[in-house]
Amino acid sequence: MPAAANVANQSVARALQILRELAGAQDGIGVRELARSIKVSPSIAQRLISTLAEYGFAEQEASRRYRVGVQAFAVGNAYLSAHALVRAGLAELRELAGKPQLNGYLGVLRGREVVYLIALQSSGPIAIKSAPGARTHLHTTALGKAILAQMSDEDAARLLGEPPFARLTPKTRTRLAPLLADLRVARRNGYAISDEENLAGVYAIGAAVRDADGATVAAIS
């Protein structure tokens, strides 16, 4: 591959790294901090984020820190608007949020995590802390366990990786054996539960979403 193409690919990769850093920085991020995160010099970080800002994918605040720009929001929103799963799931989750006052989520498997496509706040007492695009654990959430339950024990174990798994609450399953036992129950029942395993005081129920061929494409909780 020509040297110029290698440089271009590296710049694109770094720009995408910056977008990820911006997405995770609620209070914005400074250039030096950004440079340390993506392991480049401050001058390179400044040049990259200035280009992103020029095209609307980043915005500089009065504090001179950067945050996600409106164009990045537009791209993400276009993904959600065009996603058939979101269109299909939103009506169901709105009904659950309105009548039984249950918070609703729709998520898809990406790598070893679940990515939220919908996080719908009800009028109930529990406030949602997640947002579309945020990632969450497979082993602690009803969404994740519903997806894992559609796999064999061997495939689920391979996807989860080596235990111990991250502990989020005193009830989190950090070892494989109790988690696999939960998945077997989920297969029998047709739904998975998270009983204060992801957030203390929160009980969740999740089920797989399948396509016309019966393949698991997402989960709802």
Side-chain angles (χ1 to χ4, degrees):
M1 184 180 293
N6 283 329
V7 171
N9 289 343
Q10 186 180 58
S11 296
V12 171
R14 285 171 172 171
L16 293 175
Q17 282 183 284
I18 289 175
L19 286 174
R20 285 184 175 177
E21 293 294 329
L22 291 173
Q26 292 186 348
D27 298 322
I29 189 167
V31 171
R32 291 189 178 277
E33 182 183 353
L34 182 61
R36 288 194 298 271
S37 296
I38 66 171
K39 297 180 174 58
V40 299
S41 68
S43 61
I44 291 175
Q46 181 66 71
R47 186 164 65 247
L48 289 167
I49 200 162
S50 293
T51 302
L52 288 171
E54 181 181 351
Y55 285 88
F57 286 89
E59 293 179 358
Q60 190 174 34
E61 301 174 327
S63 62
R64 303 190 67 78
R65 295 172 71 82
Y66 286 88
R67 58 183 172 86
V68 173
V70 68
Q71 192 60 39
F73 169 77
V75 171
N77 194 55
Y79 174 83
L80 291 177
S81 298
H83 208 300
L85 279 171
V86 174
R87 296 197 301 271
L90 196 54
E92 301 294 335
L93 291 176
R94 280 175 175 161
E95 184 172 351
L96 288 172
K99 292 180 181 177
Q101 297 183 331
L102 300 174
N103 294 344
Y105 304 87
L106 177 72
V108 292
L109 178 65
R110 291 294 183 268
R112 290 183 170 178
E113 297 174 304
V114 178
V115 176
Y116 291 111
L117 297 184
I118 299 175
L120 194 61
Q121 177 73 58
S122 74
S123 57
I126 298 175
I128 285 181
K129 296 182 179 180
S130 300
R135 294 173 177 266
T136 190
H137 296 279
L138 282 166
H139 69 289
T140 64
T141 59
L143 283 174
K145 291 166 80 174
I147 291 172
L148 289 171
Q150 308 309 306
M151 307 174 187
S152 66
D153 283 357
E154 294 75 18
D155 286 345
R158 194 176 302 114
L159 181 61
L160 287 163
E162 288 296 319
F165 311 124
R167 181 182 295 279
L168 275 65
T169 77
K171 291 190 174 183
T172 297
R173 309 287 198 257
T174 62
R175 296 291 174 180
L176 185 60
L179 182 57
L180 291 180
D182 285 354
L183 299 185
R184 294 182 194 117
V185 173
R187 291 185 194 111
R188 290 197 302 269
N189 292 339
Y191 60 87
I193 65 169
S194 173
D195 185 2
E196 297 189 88
E197 297 157 52
N198 191 58
L199 289 170
V202 175
Y203 185 96
I205 303 170
V209 177
R210 297 181 177 86
D211 64 14
D213 297 322
T216 300
V217 293
I220 197 168
S221 73

